[in-house]
Amino acid sequence: MKCVVTGVAGFVGSHLAEALIDRGEEVVGIDCFLDYYPRLLKERNLSRLRKSDRFRLVEADLARADLAPLVAGAEWIFHQAAQAGVRASWGKDFSIYTESNVHATQRLLEAARDAGVRRLVYASSSSVYGDTDDLPMRETSLPRPVSPYGVTKLAAEHLCWLYWKNYGLETVSLRYFTVYGPRQRPDMAFHRFLKSALLGDEIPLYDDGEQTRDFTYVADAIAANLAAVERGTGGGIYNIGGGSRVSINRVLETISDISGRAVRVRREGRQKGDVRHTAADTSRARADLGFEPRVPLDDGLRRQWEWTREVY
């Protein structure tokens, strides 16, 4: 079966493409190698995939490329590509987010509709909920993102729904809650914390550290994607959380225990667009997708620590 994975050189995209190859599928991976972080890390992510004769890499910008030949004959599309980063989405760079997250998604949906793709799974984000005390966050809650990044992720979600509603293109949106694990982007907290522990560098810690996140190990996010193409409702939205909701201060303690080293932090103020707490109600994903997170936080952090040691 032909599958398309956008953002294939990224953190989740590369893991997902590998899982599909392991299942015996053929994968066309698309990536435009945005310079948000070094290409060298993305090339490392692709090292195993490049060894498979069932994988083809296409370097292309979804907002500009001719997508018809890339999606022709595809049964499934996994849309992981996006311009990431809450804090970087303000000001003059917002146009990058609208281009990469909204316009690119609309063009991909058009191409998928015209090609008769069976189902498209979209990687959304818990950022669409914004800063709320109504926890756990439910798919039926009113989304009120508090960052430009969150606005673009929600806009793309709406695009997915309207292509299902108007054209019958089956789409499923997965709202990821802080995915972590090997290959995590270098701007993300666990990557920065673990690298700091290894190298002894000081890192900024925003807010007081008592903010909490629902952390999801990457293998659990991959399992949700694979379930979403075969189960769930067209036009559906699902929270994908790992059930490991802890404070950032607790994470730092765990990292010190795992690494045997202290994480040196410089405490700074809360940043615009950051939310205080996240917690996922995953009952819908459990019922419809059979989603069941399997990797607890301590185990996942140990695996990411070993990867960090290999890379740095």
Side-chain angles (χ1 to χ4, degrees), residues 12-279:
V12 177
S14 59
H15 281 285
L16 178 54
E18 287 180 357
L20 290 165
I21 292 293
D22 290 343
R23 284 168 48 119
E25 316 296 359
E26 295 183 4
V27 176
V28 175
I30 305 173
D31 207 295
C32 70
F33 293 92
L34 287 169
D35 60 0
Y36 188 66
Y37 62 95
R39 179 164 181 153
L40 181 64
L41 289 175
K42 298 179 184 180
E43 291 288 354
R44 182 186 175 97
N45 293 346
L46 294 170
S47 57
R48 183 185 162 207
L49 287 166
R50 288 185 181 276
K51 298 174 183 177
S52 173
D53 59 5
R54 284 182 281 108
F55 174 74
R56 178 166 67 98
L57 175 66
V58 178
E59 188 168 346
D61 183 349
L62 296 175
R64 295 175 176 80
D66 181 5
L67 301 181
L70 302 182
V71 303
E75 292 284 325
W76 299 334
I77 295 178
F78 299 87
H79 184 29
Q80 305 294 314
Q83 175 63 52
V86 168
R87 299 184 187 108
S89 63
W90 299 90
K92 62 182 178 59
D93 288 336
F94 183 58
S95 60
I96 301 173
Y97 287 78
T98 56
E99 183 79 354
S100 300
N101 299 357
V102 182
H103 184 210
T105 299
Q106 184 269 341
R107 296 189 78 247
L108 184 62
L109 288 163
E110 286 277 314
R113 178 202 62 192
D114 294 346
V117 170
R118 187 147 58 96
R119 180 163 284 199
L120 182 148
V121 180
Y122 167 63
S124 188
S125 167
S126 62
S127 296
V128 304
Y129 288 111
D131 201 11
T132 178
D133 293 325
D134 183 19
L135 302 174
M137 296 162 167
R138 303 170 181 85
E139 293 91 346
T140 53
S141 301
L142 177 65
R144 284 180 172 166
V146 292
S147 68
Y149 166 76
V151 168
T152 61
K153 296 301 284 185
L154 182 59
E157 253 191 38
H158 287 320
L159 284 169
C160 289
W161 185 86
L162 72 86
Y163 273 79
W164 167 73
K165 182 69 174 178
N166 289 280
Y167 296 111
L169 171 62
E170 288 201 356
T171 62
V172 174
S173 295
L174 303 180
R175 291 176 176 171
Y176 296 161
F177 281 70
T178 314
V179 182
Y180 72 99
R183 305 179 199 165
Q184 191 185 45
R185 295 194 325 268
D187 64 301
M188 297 184 75
F190 284 11
H191 189 126
R192 294 186 294 112
F193 294 164
L194 290 162
K195 181 182 177 183
S196 171
L198 183 67
L199 303 180
D201 296 334
E202 185 180 72
I203 59 166
L205 176 62
Y206 303 110
D207 212 340
D208 60 5
E210 287 305 303
Q211 64 268 37
T212 61
R213 295 290 182 270
D214 193 336
F215 296 105
T216 311
Y217 189 67
V218 63
D220 291 328
I222 299 309
N225 275 271
L226 297 178
V229 289
E230 297 178 327
R231 303 176 61 175
T233 60
I237 297 170
Y238 297 95
N239 286 338
I240 304 301
S244 297
R245 182 191 173 202
V246 299
S247 71
I248 301 302
N249 286 332
R250 180 71 185 93
V251 167
L252 293 173
E253 293 172 6
T254 302
I255 288 175
S256 292
D257 291 342
I258 289 171
S259 66
R261 311 179 187 199
V263 180
R264 298 174 55 228
V265 299
R266 181 180 69 256
R267 295 188 180 271
E268 298 188 359
R270 187 174 178 180
Q271 301 293 291
K272 290 183 175 61
D274 284 353
V275 302
R276 184 67 175 170
H277 303 292
T278 68

